[in-house]
Amino acid sequence: MPVPIVPCLWFPDCAEEAMEFYCSVFPDSAILSIERYPDESLDEHFAGMSGKVLTGRFVLDGTPFICLDGGPAFTFNEAISLTVECADQAEIDHYWSHLSASPEHEQCGWLKDRFGVSWQIVPANLGELMTGPAQTQALMRMKKIIIDDLIDAG
């Protein structure tokens, strides 16, 4: 069954490197296809892009993505993030250790990776763990979420 919405990630010039990296971090992941920019003489918009990723299709743990090398016109920011709902602390620790690349952008389970993409690495049962103001205060003091600290806050 086709997925009706597929995120597209615009990288300046590192889409293939990003796909390879993300596929190494997430289970059941693969690069499905890469179409490259044609010869730059075909269109002014292709200047300097020959051989770069025009369209890359990949799957991260069952979720399809599209990406491209689009040049520096647009960059990622925290207004959009990708959420990973984790089964336990070990899974949180795994994704955090592989994805976090900018400590100044870490807060309440949010991080930024080396490509500038923002992620939320959270327990799948975060709603159940947030039982009152004490848990909210504990969460606000965290960078990486520590499940036991949320439990102990109550």
Side-chain angles (χ1 to χ4, degrees):
M1 178 171 15
V3 177
I5 298 172
V6 178
C8 179
L9 304 176
W10 174 305
F11 295 95
D13 65 355
C14 57
E16 188 167 7
E17 177 187 353
M19 286 188 291
E20 289 171 355
F21 173 71
Y22 295 142
C23 287
S24 77
V25 171
F26 291 88
D28 302 318
S29 300
I31 296 172
L32 303 176
S33 66
I34 297 176
E35 295 177 42
R36 301 198 182 275
Y37 279 93
D39 186 289
E40 60 187 61
S41 67
L42 294 175
D43 189 283
E44 65 185 63
H45 294 98
F46 298 159
M49 301 304 283
S50 184
K52 301 250 182 239
V53 176
L54 177 62
T55 305
R57 294 187 175 275
F58 62 110
V59 175
L60 297 181
D61 201 9
T63 301
F65 285 84
I66 299 169
C67 68
L68 61 99
D69 285 323
F74 302 107
T75 58
F76 297 112
N77 66 52
E78 291 79 3
I80 296 289
S81 61
L82 303 174
T83 302
V84 180
E85 294 183 340
C86 300
D88 54 29
Q89 190 66 50
E91 197 171 14
I92 290 171
D93 294 346
H94 165 79
Y95 289 118
W96 197 272
S97 69
H98 285 84
L99 294 172
S100 180
S102 182
E104 64 273 14
H105 291 98
E106 296 174 355
Q107 183 67 38
C108 304
W110 291 58
L111 62 80
K112 189 176 276 197
D113 71 22
R114 69 187 200 202
F115 302 104
V117 176
S118 292
W119 297 82
Q120 296 180 57
I121 309 301
V122 300
N125 65 338
L126 183 60
E128 295 170 24
L129 294 169
M130 302 302 292
T131 58
Q135 287 76 22
T136 301
Q137 289 175 326
L139 179 67
M140 294 305 293
R141 289 188 299 270
M142 294 180 191
K143 290 188 175 219
K144 176 177 72 174
I145 293 176
I146 307 297
I147 295 171
D148 285 345
D149 290 354
L150 288 177
I151 293 168
D152 293 345

